[in-house]
Amino acid sequence: MKVLKKIFKSSLIFIIVIVIWQLNWNAGIYNRSLFPSPLQTVKALWYEITQDNLYLHIGASMSRYLTGYIIAAVLAVFLGLIFGYYTKSWEFVNPLVQFIRPISPIAWMPFIVLWFGIGDIPADVVIFIAAFFPILLSTVSAVRNVDRVYLRVASNFDISTGKTLMKIIFPAAFPQIMNGFHMACGTAWIFLVAGEMIGTQSGLGYLIIDARNNLRTDILAAVIIVIGLIGLGIDALMKYLENLVKEKWGFGILEKSR
C-alpha cells in the first residue's frame, strides 16, 4: 500500500501536466498541426516502437553516451586525484580550467566537425567535454577535503603515492566524487542530443531534427518524452550505484548511524 501511495505521489505532477496539455489542445489556442495532443503523441510513440526505429536510435544514442561519459569519467578522476593531491599543480592549471569550463560544448562544434568529420566521434567529443569538467572539479575538491590524518598514516607506513591515491584517498573522497558523476551524467545526456543534431544519421537527436523537418510534431513530442524518461532512468541508476558502493565501503552504514 505504501508503495502504491509513493507511486501515486510521484506520478501526480505528470498527471496534472497531461491534463493541462489536453485542455490546451481542446481549447484550440495553438495550431493543432503544430501542437499535438497527448493521444497523438502516444500513438506516434507506439508507431516508432512497433517500427523498431526507436530501439535502434536509443541504442545509437546510448552507445555514444557511454563512450564519451566513461572516457571523461576515467580521465577526470585520474587527473582530479593528481591535481587534488599535488595542490601546486592545481593552482597552476586551475585558471585555464576555469576559463574553458564555462564554454558550452556546442560552441566547439564547428571545430569538432572540422577536426573529426561527421558521424559518431563529434557527438562523443561533445559528451566528453560536457562530462569532464564537473567530474574533474568535484574530484579535486573531494581530494583536498580528505582528512589529513589519512595522509599522515600513509606516510608513517611508507605507502607509495599510487597506493595512497587509489587505496586511501579515492575511497575517502568517493561520496563527493559521486556528486560530480551525478551532475555530469545529466549534463552529458543533455548535450548528447544537441551533438546528435549535427552530422549523425541515427540517435534521438537525429530523430528530433528529422521530425522537425517533416513537421511531425507528434513524433517530436514523443521523442522528447523518451529523452526525459531515459534521463530519469540514468539518474536513478546513478543513485543506486552510489548507494551500493557507499554500503560496500561502509559509508552507507556510517550515514544511517548519524
Side-chain angles (χ1 to χ4, degrees), residues 10-247:
S10 300
S11 305
L12 185 59
I13 184 62
F14 294 103
I15 294 171
I16 293 171
V17 169
I18 292 171
V19 169
I20 295 173
W21 179 3
Q22 182 65 49
L23 290 174
N24 275 277
W25 188 83
N26 291 340
I29 298 173
Y30 306 101
N31 187 331
R32 289 188 175 180
S33 64
L34 302 177
F35 185 68
S37 69
L39 181 58
Q40 289 172 331
T41 301
V42 170
K43 286 181 178 179
L45 179 60
W46 180 250
Y47 173 80
E48 290 294 324
I49 292 173
T50 54
Q51 293 297 311
D52 289 334
N53 289 332
L54 191 59
Y55 298 115
L56 295 174
H57 289 293
I58 290 174
S61 290
M62 291 304 299
S63 175
R64 297 179 186 120
Y65 176 80
L66 290 173
T67 300
Y69 184 84
I70 290 172
I71 294 173
V74 171
L75 185 60
V77 170
F78 174 75
L79 293 176
L81 290 172
I82 294 173
F83 289 141
Y85 187 76
Y86 297 103
T87 55
K88 290 185 178 179
S89 65
W90 177 243
E91 290 173 2
F92 178 73
V93 173
N94 187 39
L96 179 62
V97 171
Q98 298 303 333
F99 173 77
I100 297 175
R101 181 178 61 86
I103 301 173
S104 169
I106 300 304
W108 295 101
M109 279 303 296
F111 281 117
I112 292 171
V113 172
L114 288 172
W115 294 338
F116 299 102
I118 59 175
D120 290 345
I121 296 179
D124 293 340
V125 175
V126 168
I127 297 161
F128 174 88
I129 296 171
F132 178 78
F133 290 104
I135 299 174
L136 175 68
L137 293 173
S138 67
T139 303
V140 171
S141 177
V143 172
R144 298 180 75 174
N145 288 334
V146 169
D147 195 330
R148 298 293 103 179
V149 172
Y150 295 147
L151 302 182
R152 286 196 290 269
V153 170
S155 178
N156 290 337
F157 283 94
D158 200 23
I159 299 175
S160 66
T161 302
K163 287 185 177 180
T164 299
L165 287 172
M166 297 309 300
K167 300 292 186 179
I168 298 175
I169 293 178
F170 178 66
F174 177 77
Q176 191 173 339
I177 294 174
M178 278 303 302
N179 292 333
F181 285 159
H182 265 146
M183 201 185 323
C185 73
T187 305
W189 183 246
I190 291 169
F191 283 104
L192 160 71
V193 175
E196 286 183 332
M197 290 181 178
I198 303 173
T200 62
Q201 297 298 314
S202 63
L204 296 171
Y206 166 78
L207 270 184
I208 286 179
I209 293 297
D210 187 59
R212 183 205 65 182
N213 292 340
N214 291 290
L215 293 178
R216 289 297 306 271
T217 55
D218 52 345
I219 294 178
L220 182 61
V223 175
I224 289 172
I225 290 172
V226 170
I227 291 169
L229 290 173
I230 294 175
L232 195 65
I234 290 172
D235 184 69
L237 178 61
M238 290 296 293
K239 287 180 181 177
Y240 172 76
L241 293 174
E242 178 185 6
N243 292 332
L244 196 67
V245 177
K246 278 184 177 181
E247 289 182 6

